[in-house]
Amino acid sequence: MKINKAIKIRIYPNKYQQELLEKTFGCCRLLWNQMLAERNEVCRRLKDNPEILRNYRYKTEKDYKTRFKFMKEVDSKALQSTTRNLIEAFKNFFNGLKEIRKVGYPRFKSKKNKQSYTTYNVNNNIKINFEQKRIKLPKINMWIKYRDERVFVEPIRHVTVSKTKSGKYYVAILVEQELDVYPLTQVHENCIGAFDMSASEFLVSEKEHYINPRFYRSAEAKLRRLHRQLSGKKKGSKNQWKTRLRLVRYYEKIYKRKYDWVHKKTLDLSQRHDAVILEDLNIRGMQKFNGGLSKSVSLDFSWHQFKTLLEYKLRWRGKHYQEVDRFFPSSKMCSVCGHKNENLTLADRDWICPKCGTQHQRDENASVNLKMEGIRLLQEKGIVVIR
Ligand SMILES: [Zn+2]
């Protein structure tokens, strides 16, 4: 099985190299914004002519390069992937319209946000010297220092260069790895974990409760203080700039803490189970029915990130990840007799089945139902479940 693995390292470009990177970020951003503006304008103009709109030929990267001559000075692969990303973003947006999960309309890129560009390894134009800890990127053509201990031999597919809001530079290197893994054809029921997502506890199964440490919430007071300090500073002053940097760094720190936690939890789950079943629940829907949770809650529940990491960690071990449709009535159904309790409300944490009299804890009952449904779906895929 071939897998893609990303290795992220921090790089330390000198002043001149920073300028070159900045130029590439700038050109990619300009190209993205120009292409997006063109699409917006065309969509507005031709909204009553879907046939013409569908076959409309947008300007190509080449056209833009002719118009903005300086684009020729930066990495052409970076511009190509910018184009590809924009097309992809539109595709996802239009596909998302048909589904329940909404994907946002592509947005203009701002200089104030995180900057990045992706470039491809062609004819070995991306080189790494592990001994001297230096990396060479296309068109930059100079060795850039980095700090990281990892050494790898796999071929590099592409790299994404980024600069955080606080001014740190990173390179995420994507390599292709050959893994000697075969997907399990049978799993033991005891080794299957099914989890219900809960706003108060994150993940709940019949056996265990995973609590979300809520990094953003615990940092809320300090964040508020920093935001207040920032608004009190004179616009454009050095103090404002310093305070903003402090705020941005603090956000990055919390994000890192949360990300580490997600990594550890998903690793642990993938080591202890042969298959994991989760409910396909979108956080936006949840926010709605909880009457709008605060920002710190939505930042703390990175459901999508959690799922993505868990899914690939299981896959790398030949294990299975199974999602259950969010419309499956996992909470309302009695896991003992199958009776559907339509009177159950969100406030009911504990309930007694009116038909068979079993006492249920809401989330635990839901996870038992999820497990049964997930096992059915795994079997549908031809996986044998040993009971
Ligand atoms: Zn019952």
Side-chain angles (χ1 to χ4, degrees):
M1 182 169 66
K2 277 203 172 101
I3 58 155
N4 289 329
K5 197 172 185 174
I7 298 151
K8 197 172 176 184
I9 57 175
R10 184 163 173 195
I11 56 167
Y12 298 84
N14 62 32
K15 271 267 141 37
Y16 182 63
Q17 292 165 339
Q18 282 179 25
E19 265 173 43
L20 294 175
L21 291 174
E22 220 59 60
K23 215 160 140 183
T24 319
F25 291 140
C27 284
C28 290
R29 195 174 60 231
L30 176 68
L31 182 66
W32 171 283
N33 288 345
Q34 288 285 330
M35 287 184 150
L36 178 55
E38 186 196 358
R39 277 160 177 76
N40 288 348
E41 189 270 319
V42 171
C43 281
R44 248 196 315 273
R45 189 156 42 89
L46 296 175
K47 65 175 184 300
D48 301 320
N49 285 310
E51 197 56 39
I52 304 172
L53 181 62
R54 202 169 312 134
N55 299 312
Y56 190 87
R57 286 207 38 197
Y58 293 100
K59 279 187 213 146
T60 63
E61 212 174 284
K62 241 195 192 132
D63 298 327
Y64 283 107
K65 270 179 156 173
T66 321
R67 192 172 145 206
F68 304 104
K69 295 268 185 303
F70 52 86
M71 279 189 183
K72 287 181 183 152
E73 291 165 28
V74 305
D75 187 351
S76 59
K77 294 278 175 302
L79 296 172
Q80 273 168 28
S81 58
T82 301
T83 312
R84 212 169 313 154
N85 287 347
L86 183 75
I87 292 168
E88 192 68 21
F90 268 97
K91 219 165 74 194
N92 290 340
F93 170 71
F94 287 119
N95 285 341
L97 288 181
K98 288 178 227 143
E99 290 163 25
I100 316 133
R101 176 174 295 123
K102 293 265 182 288
V103 177
Y105 189 82
R107 282 200 238 172
F108 288 106
K109 290 195 194 289
S110 153
K111 207 176 173 174
K112 279 188 196 153
N113 289 331
K114 186 183 158 183
Q115 306 295 311
S116 76
Y117 74 85
T118 299
T119 182
Y120 290 79
N121 191 12
V122 187
N123 302 324
N124 248 345
N125 60 358
I126 298 171
K127 291 194 190 79
I128 301 180
N129 184 330
F130 291 107
E131 267 171 33
Q132 296 187 354
K133 296 195 191 302
R134 278 169 175 48
I135 182 167
K136 206 180 238 179
L137 298 167
K139 207 82 179 184
I140 307 287
N141 266 329
M142 268 182 290
W143 291 102
I144 302 175
K145 274 192 275 179
Y146 74 82
R147 221 172 274 163
D148 200 274
E149 296 308 318
R150 285 168 287 185
V151 173
F152 51 89
V153 291
E154 295 86 359
I156 297 168
R157 288 173 60 97
H158 65 246
V159 300
T160 299
V161 186
S162 62
K163 182 191 170 194
T164 65
K165 276 169 133 183
S166 64
K168 293 176 192 149
Y169 293 85
Y170 291 92
V171 173
I173 305 158
L174 201 92
V175 295
E176 196 175 70
Q177 225 174 22
E178 187 66 50
L179 274 191
D180 235 3
V181 170
Y182 297 94
L184 296 171
T185 51
Q186 49 182 48
V187 286
H188 207 284
E189 201 190 333
N190 287 338
C191 303
I192 300 175
F195 295 90
D196 185 53
M197 190 206 180
S198 138
S200 50
E201 294 179 297
F202 203 59
L203 294 175
V204 179
S205 82
E206 47 182 323
K207 290 182 212 139
E208 49 201 339
H209 292 223
Y210 269 143
I211 310 290
N212 185 351
R214 309 291 282 276
F215 299 107
Y216 283 94
R217 165 158 296 183
S218 53
E220 226 171 10
K222 186 167 175 188
L223 282 171
R224 252 203 309 272
R225 202 171 62 237
L226 284 167
H227 273 290
R228 216 170 29 237
Q229 276 175 15
L230 182 64
S231 63
K233 296 283 181 276
K234 210 174 128 207
K235 230 178 158 188
S237 67
K238 198 164 185 183
N239 273 332
Q240 188 201 31
W241 179 79
K242 272 191 195 155
T243 316
R244 178 173 295 132
L245 193 65
R246 211 157 61 223
L247 180 65
V248 165
R249 276 194 189 137
Y250 193 54
Y251 265 111
E252 284 172 6
K253 195 167 144 192
I254 311 167
Y255 177 82
K256 226 176 146 192
R257 256 187 238 156
K258 187 190 71 171
Y259 191 73
D260 283 345
W261 180 80
V262 171
H263 243 304
K264 278 187 199 124
K265 273 295 167 229
T266 50
L267 179 67
D268 176 53
L269 277 173
S270 68
Q271 284 170 335
R272 290 193 294 113
H273 299 93
D274 285 345
V276 176
I277 297 160
L278 291 184
E279 184 180 18
D280 171 23
L281 184 80
N282 72 342
I283 188 79
R284 248 170 277 176
M286 217 178 73
Q287 268 164 285
K288 226 178 259 168
F289 75 64
N290 275 333
L293 302 167
S294 75
K295 196 184 171 199
S296 70
V297 174
S298 52
L299 285 171
D300 271 329
F301 281 86
S302 36
W303 198 231
H304 179 73
Q305 184 184 62
F306 192 88
K307 274 195 325 200
T308 312
L309 293 188
L310 179 64
E311 191 178 358
Y312 85 69
K313 279 180 180 146
L314 286 163
R315 194 151 37 88
W316 287 4
R317 293 174 170 78
K319 296 172 170 186
H320 301 284
Y321 171 78
Q322 183 62 55
E323 249 171 49
V324 171
D325 195 289
R326 76 175 69 104
F327 294 118
F328 177 74
S330 57
S331 303
K332 287 183 174 170
M333 200 160 79
C334 167
S335 57
V336 176
C337 72
H339 175 73
K340 226 168 125 186
N341 185 357
E342 294 294 351
N343 298 326
L344 195 73
T345 67
L346 260 174
D348 298 325
R349 305 312 302 169
D350 301 282
W351 57 286
I352 292 166
C353 173
K355 203 172 168 200
C356 73
T358 311
Q359 198 171 352
H360 292 300
Q361 196 279 324
R362 182 197 181 85
D363 299 326
E364 286 176 11
N365 173 61
S367 83
V368 176
N369 285 327
L370 272 180
K371 188 168 182 175
M372 288 194 286
E373 175 66 5
I375 286 176
R376 191 183 68 76
L377 293 167
L378 285 170
Q379 286 167 333
E380 248 178 35
K381 287 185 192 161
I383 297 154
V384 178
V385 177
I386 306 161
R387 291 180 197 262

